[in-house]
Amino acid sequence: MTSSAKGDIIRLMSIELDLLAAIRRLAGAEVAPDAESFVVRSGELAIDVRYSGGSSSSLTLAAPYNAVARRAPDVASVPRTAASYREPAGGAIVAVRPMAIRLRAEQRTDVDAKAAGINHEHQTGDPAFDAAVYVSAPTDDDVVLRAVLGPEVRRGAAALLALGFGRVTIDDDDGLVEARLVGFLSDRPSAERGPAMIAAFAELLSGLPKVQRAAGTHPPDPWRTRLRWGGALALAGFIGMMPVYMLVAGSVGCTEGGSEDGEINLKPGCSAPLLLALVAAVVLGALGVALVSAFVSPRLRGRSSSAMRIAGAQVVGFALLAELGFYVAAALGLVFGIGR
């Protein structure tokens, strides 16, 4: 490792520790100097701070949604369009929980996906926020999203992302509001950055409306399960490629060795089927991507995560067809003695 690389690592570690120390000071003298989990209070709000060191260090700010949500929802001007998210006579929002609203910095790929009609993202009507922050959620219902993403929440979330947090999740699977930081590098002094993070998170929490739990679940996404199974099958197929090739090669007398040192090698002339199988894998993999793009991608459009889901489907389609091509071509090449 060069001296420059060592210097960068030392600088990064110093930034992490300085930032954590600045936040610990906000928690008061009772917090141990080396505490990695503690509570910072901002007015009536209690913010859990969790630091995880090591090669993938992170800082997480968290608070239970139900414990911090106090504001009455402002939904007077929001159109009533959905059955799963609604405003009852009492004025409180009733929504399927967890709402699982995820906020992150908007990328150029997000803009392109929306322009192409692939992704559909909720727009808050706040031009600065909508341009800087990408909203991903299981629903695009205006009632709940406009109620939850009020002015304080938008300002707090945008400030957190600007301070380096990778994502903000509102009402996750554990009912928490979380902001997670994984990139500590910054030119801003930690003595300013730490308090600014707590202030931004507190502002976000202060704007959350009360939300009652509705019966039922979010609309099902059947392709999520299909892609998970497809990915698992593709992984298993990838792991088995060479073992299966060597097994078939051994069955047709294309291997040697293994008696003393345990190492099994291909005999001369028996590698041609392997090259043929790799070519077939590339060709069939490209066909898999084309088939997914033509028949699967249209069914995945219209969600906030559609572009990512389509990319995942294309990877799975490529892998499955490529592996099929590999196995078939390898078996035929070995059985018919191609190259020998």
Side-chain angles (χ1 to χ4, degrees):
M1 182 181 296
T2 65
S3 57
S4 176
K6 289 181 179 178
D8 289 341
I9 292 175
I10 293 173
R11 178 170 177 254
L12 181 58
M13 291 179 61
S14 176
I15 291 174
E16 289 185 25
L17 297 177
D18 288 347
L19 179 62
L20 193 59
I23 297 177
R24 282 197 196 103
R25 287 194 290 271
L26 298 175
E30 66 275 9
V31 174
D34 59 348
E36 295 188 350
S37 180
F38 52 92
V39 175
V40 174
R41 295 196 173 275
S42 177
E44 297 181 353
L45 298 170
I47 299 172
D48 293 321
V49 181
R50 300 190 300 271
Y51 170 74
S52 176
S55 58
S56 57
S57 54
S58 64
L59 177 71
T60 302
L61 307 181
Y65 187 99
N66 291 343
V68 298
R70 294 181 175 85
R71 181 175 65 81
D74 179 13
V75 296
S77 60
V78 179
R80 289 12 174 200
T81 58
S84 59
Y85 295 94
R86 55 196 181 276
E87 180 197 6
I93 291 294
V94 175
V96 173
R97 306 284 299 271
M99 293 180 288
I101 301 170
R102 294 177 175 86
L103 310 174
R104 57 173 174 80
E106 182 158 294
Q107 308 294 327
R108 181 66 199 178
T109 53
D110 299 319
V111 177
D112 293 341
K114 288 188 289 184
I118 298 172
N119 281 12
H120 175 77
E121 182 207 13
H122 171 75
Q123 299 295 289
T124 66
D126 179 342
F129 180 87
D130 291 336
V133 180
Y134 192 80
V135 180
S136 179
T139 181
D140 59 0
D141 183 84
D142 280 342
V143 173
V144 66
L145 291 175
R146 285 186 181 272
V148 174
L149 300 177
E152 298 91 346
V153 174
R154 296 197 302 270
R155 286 195 300 268
L160 288 167
L161 296 177
L163 286 164
F165 282 84
R167 70 169 186 266
V168 176
T169 305
I170 299 175
D171 192 30
D172 65 8
D173 290 342
D174 297 319
L176 298 176
V177 183
E178 279 195 348
R180 190 164 188 267
L181 173 75
V182 293
F184 287 84
L185 194 61
S186 175
D187 293 331
R188 187 169 179 177
S190 296
E192 298 178 4
R193 192 178 176 209
M197 290 176 173
I198 297 299
F201 193 64
E203 181 171 26
L204 183 153
L205 297 179
S206 69
L208 293 172
K210 294 181 178 180
V211 178
Q212 297 178 17
R213 183 182 297 274
T217 60
H218 292 293
D221 181 4
W223 283 99
R224 180 185 296 273
T225 301
R226 294 171 188 173
L227 291 179
R228 284 179 177 173
W229 279 105
L233 182 61
L235 178 60
F238 177 78
I239 293 173
M241 286 172 70
M242 287 311 299
V244 170
Y245 184 87
M246 296 302 292
L247 182 64
V248 177
S251 70
V252 296
C254 257
T255 59
E256 59 186 3
S259 58
E260 296 180 0
D261 57 9
E263 184 176 352
I264 301 176
N265 299 307
L266 290 173
K267 290 181 178 180
C270 288
S271 59
L274 178 59
L275 297 177
L276 174 65
L278 292 175
V279 172
V282 173
V283 173
L284 267 292
L287 175 61
V289 172
L291 291 174
V292 168
S293 299
F295 299 104
V296 178
S297 296
R299 302 186 181 189
L300 298 178
R301 289 172 173 251
R303 294 173 178 262
S304 56
S305 60
S306 290
M308 181 177 64
R309 190 65 57 82
I310 289 171
Q314 290 173 336
V315 170
V316 171
F318 176 90
L320 290 176
L321 267 292
E323 289 160 8
L324 176 63
F326 178 90
Y327 285 118
V328 172
L332 293 176
L334 287 168
V335 170
F336 289 100
I338 295 177
R340 284 185 286 168

